[in-house]
Amino acid sequence: MDEIDDRQETSITQLDQFLVVSLTDQMTDEIIKNVMETVLEKASHGIKGVILNYSMVDMIDSHAFLAFRNISIALDVMGVPSVWTNLKPGVVCSLLDINADFETFPIRTANNLNNGISLLRKEENNKAQARI
């Protein structure tokens, strides 16, 4: 009988002009590095926004928080907004427990994927209006 590997993998999906990165609890250094490389590469090729979806994450440690905050900062430097969505109570409590710094670099959040997409679309429309 074959063993079933029940580890959930992080997935990166393009939805219109946005990337949706579905994260899991299994965040190893290698997975985080691969996510960063893939997301930044795609961002350099015309992606208009990135959603970091935490719906499958129950808790987050300081290492993962800093890594994903740095991805959001890098995207911001590239002119690509990011939104963190579906933060569960355990993730929020974990962030408070590790004294996560949200003042130096405020992170955009939305309670679900649809609201995250709406937030990115609104930001894209505001950029387009500013260019006129």
Side-chain angles (χ1 to χ4, degrees):
M1 187 155 115
D2 293 336
E3 287 186 348
I4 297 174
D5 185 1
D6 63 354
R7 290 178 302 165
Q8 295 174 340
E9 296 295 326
T10 298
S11 71
I12 300 173
T13 307
Q14 186 167 341
L15 182 65
D16 294 328
Q17 67 265 28
F18 305 120
L19 283 184
V20 178
V21 182
S22 297
L23 304 170
T24 69
D25 274 334
Q26 308 301 319
M27 289 287 116
T28 64
D29 289 342
E30 183 178 343
I31 290 171
I32 292 170
K33 180 180 177 229
N34 289 338
V35 167
M36 177 180 263
E37 289 173 355
T38 302
V39 168
L40 296 180
E41 175 65 26
K42 289 192 179 283
S44 69
H45 289 86
I47 291 297
K48 302 292 185 191
V50 175
I51 294 172
L52 296 174
N53 180 6
Y54 287 83
S55 63
M56 295 186 292
V57 179
D58 293 320
M59 295 178 65
I60 189 169
D61 63 17
S62 60
H63 175 72
F65 165 72
L66 291 173
F68 288 110
R69 186 182 71 170
N70 286 341
I71 291 171
S72 292
I73 291 170
L75 288 166
D76 196 55
V77 169
M78 296 172 77
V80 177
S82 63
V83 177
W84 293 22
T85 65
N86 295 303
L87 296 170
K88 292 181 180 178
V91 172
V92 174
C93 289
S94 297
L95 293 172
L96 294 173
D97 286 346
I98 63 171
N99 294 317
D101 177 17
F102 293 101
E103 291 182 26
T104 305
F105 181 78
I107 294 171
R108 294 172 206 86
T109 60
N111 62 342
N112 61 47
L113 187 59
N114 288 335
N115 288 342
I117 291 170
S118 294
L119 188 61
L120 290 175
R121 285 197 173 124
K122 182 187 284 186
E123 191 157 330
E124 183 60 27
N125 288 339
N126 290 343
K127 283 183 184 178
Q129 294 280 337
R131 285 181 239 150
I132 296 176

